[in-house]
Amino acid sequence: MTEHVTTHQAEEDARNEQILIWLNGRPVPKAEAVVSVYDSGFMLGDGVWEGLRLYDGCWAFLDEHLDRLFEAAKAIDLDIGLDREGVKNALFETQKANGMTTDAHARLMVTRGPKVRPFQHPSLSQSGPTVAIIMEHSKPSIPRPIRLATVPHVRGLPMSQDPKLNSHSKLNCILACIAAEKAGADEGLMLDVNGFVNTTNACNFFIVRKGEVWTSTGDYCMNGITRQKVIDLCRDNGIPVFERNYSLVDTYGADEAFLTGTFGAQTPVGEIDGRMIGTGQMGPMTERLRGLYKDLVARECA
Ligand SMILES: Cc1ncc(COP(=O)(O)O)c(C=O)c1O
């Protein structure tokens, strides 16, 4: 069995060494795309980001990504310094500068910018935000179903650091991932504060039981755009879908499990905590939903 698989694994592409990265208003060579050690993103994880994918000349679900970005920025009281059109133009200009037409992934990041002193207070960021877009040639290449391990790191309550925020500080998720790797798995399955199965450290999580698709209530997890698309696709295609609380017992006994995210769309899960899920391979519902999602992206981009 292939070792060390991640949910964001892509084919090697030498062109990614030559990419131009958007940094504060212009595309610059990768080696020059650097930020200050005083940057609030570097120093404190004080920023928000979006991951987007380019399919056949079209950034899939761009409006939803922009909605989420601006909502997150408002929540952390961060002025992006650009309006929606400005952010879109930055994305399009980065794409153009790199001559990319399809199979590309963008990480669009906004931090509170450089600080005048190396301390926490947000008022120390006085020269405006740092806006960066890393756009890479990217064909997901995940050679086998993902193995998950349940980890002790839980998805927290919204009044501490709302797990819905796509914040730069991802330490809780990173610790979950490290714990999963140390347990011999690829990614961490995270429970909510009540012990129900919630999400993984980098993707949303679904199970399939007797023809029904289950995912968490949506509390405590990232409000994933792919997650919502899968729920909508189920509803539109007569597939029973439930956002509900469920436990590890329900999960180990599932016929199928899969992850969702912009990068990998729908990624099958073969094993959780040493228990094989279904046949250990991609199940028919996951395959069907992958097909439906592919058609949806094609329609969106037509
Ligand atoms: C913790 C976490 N869950 C889920 C997702 C998937 O969200 P989306 O489908 O919008 O890419 C992400 C992606 O940013 C994430 O960081």
Side-chain angles (χ1 to χ4, degrees), residues 49 68 166 170 201-204 222 224-227 260-262:
W49 62 277
R68 192 170 61 182
N166 232 355
K170 282 277 179 192
N201 57 268
C203 299
N204 290 116
M222 172 66 59
I225 290 164
T226 324
R227 172 186 187 274
T260 64
T262 296

Side-chain angles (χ1 to χ4, degrees), residues 54-260:
L54 181 69
Y55 293 92
D56 294 326
C58 151
W59 290 97
F61 317 122
L62 181 54
D63 277 332
E64 286 93 329
H65 283 284
L66 291 175
D67 285 348
R68 192 170 61 182
L69 177 72
F70 278 91
E71 191 173 85
K74 187 173 183 186
I76 68 163
D77 201 25
L78 166 63
D79 181 0
I80 294 178
L82 296 166
D83 60 11
R84 280 176 84 94
E85 281 309 300
V87 174
K88 272 189 198 174
N89 286 339
L91 192 71
F92 297 155
E93 281 179 39
T94 316
Q95 178 190 344
K96 195 169 158 211
N98 284 295
M100 291 172 177
T101 52
T102 193
D103 295 319
H105 195 87
R107 192 174 183 104
L108 193 161
M109 298 165 279
V110 189
T111 78
R112 210 176 298 276
K115 302 175 93 73
V116 292
R117 293 282 175 276
F119 302 109
Q120 187 193 98
H121 203 289
S123 67
L124 296 170
S125 289
Q126 293 175 2
S127 49
T130 299
V131 181
I133 305 173
I134 300 175
M135 197 175 287
E136 292 188 334
H137 299 282
S138 161
K139 277 195 181 165
S141 169
I142 303 168
R144 59 159 171 76
I146 294 295
R147 292 200 293 251
L148 299 177
T150 310
V151 294
H153 311 86
V154 295
R155 308 293 297 185
L157 289 163
M159 66 278 211
S160 39
Q161 183 168 321
D162 194 330
K164 284 197 172 11
L165 276 176
N166 232 355
S167 59
H168 273 226
S169 52
K170 282 277 179 192
L171 204 49
N172 192 37
C173 295
I174 291 166
L175 291 175
C177 191
I178 291 170
E181 273 219 336
K182 288 199 187 291
D186 307 312
E187 183 147 320
L189 182 62
M190 301 176 78
L191 307 181
D192 69 21
V193 287
N194 299 306
F196 295 113
V197 171
N198 193 263
T199 191
T200 75
N201 57 268
C203 299
N204 290 116
F205 180 73
F206 287 73
I207 58 172
V208 181
R209 288 177 59 93
K210 299 194 187 333
E212 295 179 354
V213 175
W214 294 9
T215 193
S216 70
T217 59
D219 299 330
Y220 315 110
C221 67
M222 172 66 59
N223 47 346
I225 290 164
T226 324
R227 172 186 187 274
Q228 190 58 50
K229 296 296 171 194
V230 165
I231 292 169
D232 294 346
L233 280 171
C234 287
R235 289 188 180 135
D236 293 348
N237 288 278
I239 300 167
V241 61
F242 301 94
E243 292 175 84
R244 53 170 291 170
N245 287 321
Y246 59 92
S247 71
L248 280 174
V249 174
D250 304 314
T251 304
Y252 297 147
D255 304 315
E256 299 176 37
F258 62 91
L259 310 176
T260 64

